[in-house]
């Protein structure tokens, strides 16, 4: 069974095992919401509160391991985001940044499938979501999106433990909000599972338009299909295309060679992207299926491309490729045009595997 550590009850051992746990001792918290003290004290209280919950005790042992790992790391980036403003202590963006950090920790450790790892990452990213759900512009749509990214039963337990693991005057109100989150999950049939959509096209339409009805089935009127690759450098995109996609290719790497642009040439890379989009538009206008071959490692990168492709009435299929951390580094090292490891590790800081709502179809290819 996968474990992050065997020492959840031994804080001193955790500090020795993980430098990021040791960092928690020096991170203060606002006395109004966290009168218990620093992040280390709060995290220990959360771990204990979680293990005392009946909902946690009812889980399978492997699920308990997943939740304990998420609880340990849920405030991992308060260390880098905590500031003092007008006498108050704030940690803006700590959950989002913490998700990136935790993904890299889990990727290097290994032992999880992409889905399992991303559910854990989602727990860190959305651990405060149950409390703020009803303040979202569209609570139902936001809820269903989160349910695609992480297990909402686990998220409910983590959020409940997060509230119980602190000293604050509004604890009852916060617990009521967490309970309301659970009730909404049950109402929308996404408690402990993603909501089922009638079709993948309907799912894409719901999350990427102003559509309010999740069971709406859009009419299939695609003029072309674009296969978008998504993978860190050295994961094997070119090999995958050669084995699986016999189509015209728009490749950023190939264009750099053709236009004699170095990967480090920022201005030149802008020219490469523009040329790639120009060629893509020619395929789109003629109704030709094709492959877009680039790393596309962030959601922002993919969204900009997908908006372009769907403007031309194209169906978008994302193919995400991942290999284990050690094999990935070795495979990149053996490439003819290997990417410096310093560049790879910089890319990891913004690396986001695609979520199911990003395209009409999203496929994951992973090697154990």
């Amino acid at each position: 069974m996968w474990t992050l550590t065997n020492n959840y009850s031994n804080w001193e051992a955790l500090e020795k095992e993980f430098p990021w746990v040791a960092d928690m001792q020096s991170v203060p918290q606002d006395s109004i919401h966290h009168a218990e003290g620093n992040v280390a004290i709060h995290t220990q209280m959360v771990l204990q509160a979680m293990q005392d919950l009946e909902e946690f005790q009812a889980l399978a042992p492997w699920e308990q391991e997943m939740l304990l790992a998420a609880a340990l790391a849920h405030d991992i980036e308060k260390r880098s985001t905590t500031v003092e403003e007008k006498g108050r202590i704030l940690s803006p963006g700590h959950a989002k940044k913490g998700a990136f950090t935790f993904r890299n920790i889990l990727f290097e450790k290994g032992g999880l499938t992409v889905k399992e790892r991303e559910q854990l990452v989602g727990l860190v990213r959305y651990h405060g979501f149950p409390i703020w759900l009803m303040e979202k512009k569209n609570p139902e749509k936001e809820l269903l999106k989160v349910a695609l990214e992480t297990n909402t039963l686990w998220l409910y337990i983590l959020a409940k433990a997060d509230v119980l693991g602190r000293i604050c005057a509004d604890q009852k109100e916060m617990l009521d909000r967490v309970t309301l989150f659970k009730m909404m999950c049950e109402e929308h049939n996404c408690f402990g599972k993603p909501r089922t959509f009638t079709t993948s096209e309907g799912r894409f339409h719901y999350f990427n338009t102003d559509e309010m009805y999740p069971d709406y089935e859009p009419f299939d009127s695609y003029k072309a299909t674009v296969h978008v690759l998504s993978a860190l450098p050295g994961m094997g995109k070119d090999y995958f295309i050669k084995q699986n996609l016999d189509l015209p290719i728009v490749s950023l790497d190939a264009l750099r060679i053709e236009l004699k642009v170095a990967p480090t040439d920022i201005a030149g890379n802008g020219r490469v992207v523009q040329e790639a989009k120009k060629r893509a538009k020619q395929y789109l206008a003629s109704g030709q299926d094709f492959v877009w071959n680039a790393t596309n490692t962030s959601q922002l990168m993919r969204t900009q491309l997908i908006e372009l492709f769907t403007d031309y009435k194209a169906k978008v299929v994302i193919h995400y490729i991942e290999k284990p951390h050690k094999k990935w580094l070795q495979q990149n090292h053996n490439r003819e045009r290997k990417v410096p490891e310093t560049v790879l590790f910089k890319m990891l800081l913004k690396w986001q595997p695609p979520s199911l709502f990003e395209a009409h179809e999203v496929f994951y290819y992973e090697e154990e």
Side-chain angles (χ1 to χ4, degrees):
M1 181 173 65
W2 179 89
T3 59
L4 181 66
T5 178
N6 294 315
N7 295 315
Y8 290 107
S9 61
N10 186 334
W11 193 256
E12 290 185 3
L14 286 170
E15 289 183 324
K16 291 179 180 178
E17 187 174 0
F18 303 115
W20 47 273
V21 173
D23 290 343
M24 295 178 186
Q25 290 284 0
S26 61
V27 185
Q29 297 188 114
D30 192 81
S31 59
I32 293 178
H33 299 296
H34 289 279
E36 71 277 1
N38 63 38
V39 174
I41 295 171
H42 168 61
T43 302
Q44 291 174 73
M45 291 175 66
V46 171
L47 286 166
Q48 186 58 59
M50 175 178 283
Q51 292 174 85
D52 290 341
L53 289 174
E54 291 183 3
E55 297 96 333
F56 176 85
Q57 294 168 6
L59 295 175
W62 70 270
E63 292 181 288
Q64 293 179 350
E65 285 290 340
M66 300 284 270
L67 266 169
L68 288 169
L72 182 64
H74 79 284
D75 281 341
I76 187 173
E77 285 303 342
K78 278 190 173 179
R79 60 182 178 175
S80 64
T81 59
T82 296
V83 295
E84 185 174 344
E85 292 183 4
K86 299 179 181 180
R88 300 293 301 277
I89 297 174
L90 309 171
S91 303
H94 77 275
K96 183 176 182 180
K97 187 173 182 181
F100 284 100
T101 300
F102 198 41
R103 176 179 291 116
N104 290 331
I105 289 170
L106 296 174
F107 177 45
E108 184 172 357
K109 178 177 176 58
L112 295 171
T113 65
V114 171
K115 180 180 178 180
E116 289 168 343
R117 185 193 65 222
E118 291 307 309
Q119 284 190 315
L120 270 182
V121 171
L123 292 177
V124 173
R125 173 68 181 90
Y126 297 113
H127 69 266
F129 178 81
I131 292 175
W132 305 111
L133 169 61
M134 297 311 299
E135 297 186 20
K136 301 295 182 181
K137 183 178 179 180
N138 188 330
E140 178 184 355
K141 187 168 288 193
E142 291 294 325
L143 175 64
L144 298 187
K145 182 179 286 187
V146 169
L148 283 177
E149 298 200 81
T150 194
N151 184 312
T152 51
L153 166 59
W154 297 355
L155 184 57
Y156 161 73
I157 294 171
L158 175 59
K160 189 172 181 180
D162 191 19
V163 174
L164 292 171
R166 67 177 75 182
I167 298 173
C168 56
D170 59 351
Q171 188 179 70
K172 184 181 183 304
E173 179 190 346
M174 296 297 103
L175 288 173
D176 288 344
R177 292 190 184 196
V178 174
T179 299
L180 179 59
F181 164 78
K182 177 185 177 182
M183 293 170 62
M184 280 198 65
C185 287
E186 292 172 338
E187 178 185 349
H188 294 288
N189 199 27
C190 65
F191 189 51
K193 60 183 180 181
R195 186 192 190 278
T196 300
F197 287 82
T198 307
T199 64
S200 60
E201 288 83 1
R203 181 184 64 208
F204 176 79
H205 185 79
Y206 175 70
F207 287 117
N208 294 278
T209 69
D210 294 329
E211 176 62 53
M212 301 300 292
Y213 182 53
D215 287 323
Y216 173 75
E217 294 186 46
F219 176 70
D220 184 347
S221 58
Y222 307 122
K223 295 181 178 179
T225 298
V226 184
H227 296 268
V228 176
L229 273 291
S230 175
L232 289 160
M235 287 291 187
K237 295 187 299 298
D238 292 342
Y239 180 79
F240 175 85
I241 293 170
K242 185 177 179 180
Q243 295 295 314
N244 298 280
L245 299 170
D246 185 18
L247 292 169
I249 302 168
V250 177
S251 168
L252 268 60
D253 283 345
L255 278 171
R256 288 189 189 96
I257 296 172
E258 178 184 331
L259 300 175
K260 297 181 174 59
V261 173
T264 54
D265 182 348
I266 297 176
N269 276 308
R271 186 158 51 94
V272 167
V273 172
Q274 290 307 310
E275 178 61 26
K277 288 183 177 180
K278 177 183 176 181
R279 297 185 186 187
K281 289 176 182 179
Q282 292 171 346
Y283 288 132
L284 290 163
S286 64
Q288 169 68 59
D289 297 351
F290 69 97
V291 177
W292 180 278
N293 184 14
T295 55
N296 299 312
T297 51
S298 76
Q299 188 175 125
L300 178 61
M301 289 180 187
R302 295 186 294 267
T303 298
Q304 292 172 343
L305 283 173
I306 291 167
E307 288 176 352
L308 169 64
F309 301 151
T310 54
D311 281 346
Y312 281 81
K313 306 299 181 184
K315 177 177 182 177
V316 180
V317 180
I318 296 177
H319 301 275
Y320 175 74
I321 304 167
E322 183 175 310
K323 289 181 171 60
H325 185 270
K326 186 176 180 180
K327 184 167 185 178
W328 167 59
L329 292 179
Q330 182 180 32
Q331 191 162 289
N332 176 69
H333 180 76
N334 293 334
R335 292 174 73 193
E336 182 178 346
R337 294 170 59 86
K338 69 180 179 181
V339 179
E341 288 195 1
T342 53
V343 175
L344 292 181
F345 295 143
K346 187 175 181 180
M347 292 184 73
L348 282 174
L349 298 177
K350 297 181 179 181
W351 164 51
Q352 294 172 284
S355 297
L356 287 172
F357 56 79
E358 291 185 40
H360 298 98
E361 297 278 2
V362 183
F363 297 108
Y364 302 88
Y365 308 87
E366 57 188 303
E367 184 177 311
E368 296 182 358

